[in-house]
Amino acid sequence: MISALVCFAALNQKAPAVDYSVTMGASSAFHEVVHDVKTMLTAKDFGGAAVRAKLLPQSVVSYRFNFTNVPKDRLDSYKQSASFAIDSWQKNLDGKATLVEAKKGIPNILVSFERQLQKSADTGEIPGVAVFYGAGGQEPRVEAVIGLARTAQLTDASPAEVFNEIMFGIGSYFGLAPSAIPGTAMGRVDGKMISLNLVSRQEALLAEANLRLSKALRVAALAKTVVKPTRPQLAVSAQSFDFKPAFQGDTVYEFMTVTNKGDATLQMRAFGDCSCISGDVLSTLKPGESTALKARYRTEELVGEIEHNVVLVSNDPERPSQKFSAKIRVEPRAEVVFPTSDTLVLDGGERKLTFYVHSSEPIEWKVLGAQMVPLNSTVLYEPFEGDVKDWKNGGQIRHVKGYRLTADLSAIRESEVFGRNMFTVYVALDNKNIKLVRANLFVQKGIVAQPERIYLGAPTGPTESSFVLMRTGKPFKILSASSDSKHVTVSVTSSKLGAEYTISAKYDGKAPEHRLDTQIRITTDDPKQPIVLIPLITAQS
C-alpha cells in the first residue's frame, strides 16, 4: 500500500520546467534558428523542428581547414595558428563539446582563405574575415573565409590575426555574437590586430548555455513537446548620451530609458569602451517593464571634446549588442602649456625644457612634487603668473597663472638617442578634484620620419601612403622630394611653421608583379642632414 502511494506521488510530481530562453550575448543567427524551432514546436511540426534544430551547435563538432590559397612561405605558421585555435576552444569548453577534424563529408565548420575580401561599406576597411551561415544539407553550418591581405593598406594577415579570425569563426558556430571587448574570442576588428584574442570565461559559459539550449530543443522535437516561441524586444528612449560640459575631475551622469516590449525576459549588461566611462543597468527586465541605463564619466584625465561609447549587450535577437555614443566637453582645471615646443632637439645647446601648469579655475592649488619617467632627472617648479606664448595654439599669447616647471635633460647622452623619444613628467597637486597632471616631453636627434619606412602591403593596383618628416621646435626647409622608382611620385605639404611636413607617396600600380623596394629621397637646408632617405617597400618585394 505504501509503495503504491509512493508510485502515485512520483507519477503526479511535475518535472522541472525547461528554460528555452536564449542567453544574453548570443548571435542573431543563433536567435533566428531557436525562434524557428520554437515556432515549429508550437505548430506541432515536430519533424520540421527536428530538421531545423540540426543547425544548432552540437556537442561533437567537425571542422576542416582549406589552405589551398595560402602562400607556401606562410603555410606552416598559419597551420600552427589553426591548431592553437582549436586547442584553445577545446580547452575552454571543458568537455562540454569536442572538436574533431573532418576527413570526409561536410564539416560543421569550414575555414578557407582568399586573396582579398570585399571592402566593408561600414568601416571602409578590407575585412579580415567573412562568416557565412549555411542552411544545412550540402554546406557547412559556418564557413569563415579569411583574407590573406587585410586593412586599407592590404597588409599580409599575420599568424596572430589568422588565429583571431579562426577563434571568431569557431565562436560564431557556438552562437556567440561579435563583442566590443578587445582581447576576447569574439572581440576581433577589421584593423590591425597584434595580440591574441582568447576565450573569456563569460564566452565559455555562453557557449555552454547555447549547447544546453540546443540539446533541450532537439529533445523537445523528439518528445513532441509544444514550446511557446517567446522573445524579448529592447527599446531605448535615445540613441546617444549628451552630457553637459564639465570641469576636469568631475564625475557626471546621464540617463536613458530602456523598455522590454517583448514577451520574454530581457537580459542586459552595460559597460564602457574606456576606463573613463562606465554603464549601469538592471540585469533583467520582465515584459512591459522599463528601467534606466546610466552612463558615468570620470574626467580626471580628460580635457577637451571627448567621445566614447557605452555598450549594451542583451538577449534581444535583433540587438544583441548596441553602442551608444557619449559626448562631453571637459574644461581643464590644470592645463599644460608649452611656450615654444614639447620637444628638445639635441643640437649641442641647452638641455632644459620649460613648460607651465595653468590653473583654469579660481580655486588656488599647490604643486606638491614633480617626477620624470623613465629618466629620473630633476624637475624644478615655482609659482608663476604672467603672459606666455602657447605653442600648441599657434604661438598665441595667453595669461598663465599657476606654476613654471623646468625639466633638466642634461643626463641624456646624445650618442644614445636615436630618432624621437618620449618622457613623461608627473606633477602632483593638492587639488581635491585632480591630484595628478601628466606632461609628455620629447627628445629628438635631428630630422626624423614617422613612421621610419613606408609599407604599401600587397597592392593589386594604384595606392598611396604618407609619413611625417619633423624636427619640432627647430624649423627646416625641404628643398626637394623624389623617389628612386618611376612608379612612385612624391608630394610635400608643409605644416606647423616649417617644423613638420607631410610627405605623400603615390604608387601607380604598374611595377612588374608590384615589386617595389625603393627609397624616398628628401633634401633639406640642414647642413648636418642634407639628405634623408625613407625606404618604401611592398609585400611582393
Side-chain angles (χ1 to χ4, degrees):
M1 180 69 178
I2 294 175
S3 60
L5 289 172
V6 171
C7 291
F8 179 79
L11 288 171
N12 283 274
Q13 185 177 6
K14 290 185 177 179
V18 179
D19 184 5
Y20 295 104
S21 60
V22 179
T23 303
M24 172 180 60
S27 66
S28 297
F30 182 79
H31 272 283
E32 180 184 353
V33 177
V34 168
H35 187 263
D36 289 348
V37 173
K38 287 182 180 180
T39 300
M40 292 174 179
L41 291 174
T42 301
K44 298 184 179 181
D45 179 7
F46 302 113
V51 172
R52 188 67 172 154
K54 290 180 180 179
L55 298 179
L56 294 170
Q58 309 273 351
S59 58
V60 178
V61 185
S62 60
Y63 67 87
R64 181 179 298 133
F65 292 99
N66 182 353
F67 294 104
T68 302
N69 295 329
V70 176
K72 290 183 179 179
D73 61 342
R74 290 191 251 169
L75 187 58
D76 288 344
S77 62
Y78 282 14
K79 284 185 176 180
Q80 289 177 359
S81 295
S83 177
F84 185 24
I86 293 295
D87 291 345
S88 180
W89 263 110
Q90 185 70 77
K91 179 180 178 181
N92 281 278
L93 288 170
D94 196 26
K96 303 300 188 299
T98 303
L99 295 161
V100 295
E101 186 175 3
K103 301 296 184 181
K104 58 182 180 179
I106 307 298
N108 299 122
I109 303 171
L110 174 64
V111 179
S112 59
F113 297 83
E114 292 293 338
R115 178 76 194 129
Q116 177 184 327
L117 303 182
Q118 188 174 358
K119 182 183 291 187
S120 169
D122 297 329
T123 65
E125 295 275 10
I126 302 297
V129 69
V131 174
F132 302 94
Y133 292 92
Q138 297 303 306
E139 54 187 357
R141 172 53 181 158
V142 167
E143 180 176 2
V145 182
I146 299 174
L148 295 171
R150 57 189 293 127
T151 76
Q153 287 73 40
L154 293 176
T155 56
D156 291 343
S158 69
E161 288 168 333
V162 170
F163 170 84
N164 291 345
E165 305 299 20
I166 295 173
M167 293 291 285
F168 182 84
I170 298 172
S172 299
Y173 172 80
F174 286 114
L176 276 63
S179 172
I181 304 176
T184 61
M186 304 307 291
R188 65 163 305 280
V189 295
D190 282 336
K192 187 70 177 173
M193 293 188 288
I194 299 174
S195 58
L196 299 181
N197 290 350
L198 303 176
V199 180
S200 68
R201 180 58 180 160
Q202 187 171 3
E203 288 174 326
L205 292 174
L206 176 57
E208 293 174 12
N210 289 349
L211 284 166
R212 285 195 301 271
L213 175 57
S214 301
K215 180 179 179 180
L217 288 171
R218 283 191 283 268
V219 169
L222 291 174
K224 298 183 178 181
T225 303
V226 176
V227 176
K228 183 181 178 182
T230 59
R231 62 200 310 179
Q233 183 181 357
L234 184 149
V236 292
S237 61
Q239 295 302 313
S240 63
F241 294 98
D242 191 12
F243 283 80
K244 295 180 175 63
F247 272 103
Q248 186 181 15
D250 290 347
T251 299
V252 290
Y253 303 87
E254 281 294 335
F255 303 85
M256 69 171 63
T257 301
V258 178
T259 302
N260 181 7
K261 293 188 174 181
D263 53 6
T265 299
L266 178 67
Q267 302 171 9
M268 297 179 291
R269 181 169 61 92
F271 56 91
D273 65 355
C274 164
S275 59
C276 62
I277 189 170
S278 61
D280 188 31
V281 71
L282 284 176
S283 59
T284 59
L285 207 59
K286 293 180 179 179
E289 290 184 342
S290 297
T291 190
L293 171 60
K294 178 174 68 176
R296 182 186 70 172
Y297 258 121
R298 297 183 61 179
T299 64
E300 289 91 340
E301 297 191 14
L302 304 180
V303 171
E305 299 289 344
I306 307 298
E307 181 176 3
H308 283 286
N309 297 287
V310 171
V311 181
L312 181 63
V313 179
S314 75
N315 64 336
D316 181 339
E318 302 298 327
R319 302 171 186 83
S321 179
Q322 276 188 283
K323 283 185 179 181
F324 299 97
S325 171
K327 297 180 180 180
I328 187 172
R329 175 168 179 77
V330 181
E331 300 292 342
R333 293 183 188 272
E335 183 180 3
V336 176
V337 179
F338 291 98
T340 54
S341 170
D342 63 354
T343 302
L344 175 68
V345 178
L346 297 180
D347 57 0
E350 187 179 31
R351 296 192 180 181
K352 292 182 179 180
L353 194 62
T354 297
F355 62 95
Y356 301 87
V357 177
H358 168 62
S359 174
S360 302
E361 57 179 343
I363 302 173
E364 292 188 2
W365 42 257
K366 294 180 180 180
V367 170
L368 301 177
Q371 183 178 2
M372 185 183 299
V373 177
L375 189 68
N376 189 20
S377 294
T378 303
V379 181
L380 302 177
Y381 54 91
E382 59 182 345
F384 175 86
E385 182 172 2
D387 293 335
V388 300
K389 288 183 178 180
D390 186 349
W391 167 72
K392 288 190 175 180
N393 287 314
Q396 294 181 2
I397 302 296
R398 63 179 296 183
H399 190 74
V400 168
K401 180 181 180 181
Y403 279 76
R404 176 168 53 200
L405 294 94
T406 302
D408 187 348
L409 299 164
S410 58
I412 296 176
R413 296 179 181 178
E414 188 170 339
S415 60
E416 297 177 354
V417 175
F418 299 93
R420 186 172 169 87
N421 301 267
M422 187 180 81
F423 300 90
T424 301
V425 176
Y426 292 93
V427 184
L429 309 179
D430 68 351
N431 189 315
K432 66 177 183 179
N433 295 300
I434 175 170
K435 298 185 179 297
L436 198 66
V437 173
R438 182 171 53 198
N440 292 328
L441 315 180
F442 298 88
V443 175
Q444 180 173 323
K445 185 176 180 180
I447 301 169
V448 299
Q450 292 188 322
E452 296 178 349
R453 71 169 186 166
I454 300 178
Y455 179 60
L456 296 180
T460 57
T463 187
E464 65 178 294
S465 187
S466 64
F467 63 95
V468 173
L469 199 68
M470 62 189 301
R471 186 172 62 190
T472 307
K474 192 173 181 182
F476 64 99
K477 289 183 180 180
I478 289 181
L479 304 179
S480 67
S482 61
S483 167
D484 294 343
S485 171
K486 66 180 181 180
H487 299 293
V488 178
T489 57
V490 182
S491 61
V492 178
T493 303
S494 176
S495 62
K496 292 194 176 179
L497 304 175
E500 183 176 303
Y501 297 84
T502 299
I503 317 294
S504 296
K506 292 185 178 180
Y507 166 52
D508 64 8
K510 297 180 180 179
E513 298 180 345
H514 300 293
R515 293 181 181 273
L516 280 176
D517 189 356
T518 184
Q519 293 186 106
I520 305 297
R521 182 185 181 89
I522 309 293
T523 62
T524 78
D525 66 346
D526 185 344
K528 294 183 179 180
Q529 248 179 312
I531 298 175
V532 181
L533 299 176
I534 296 90
L536 184 150
I537 62 172
T538 62
Q540 294 93 331
S541 301

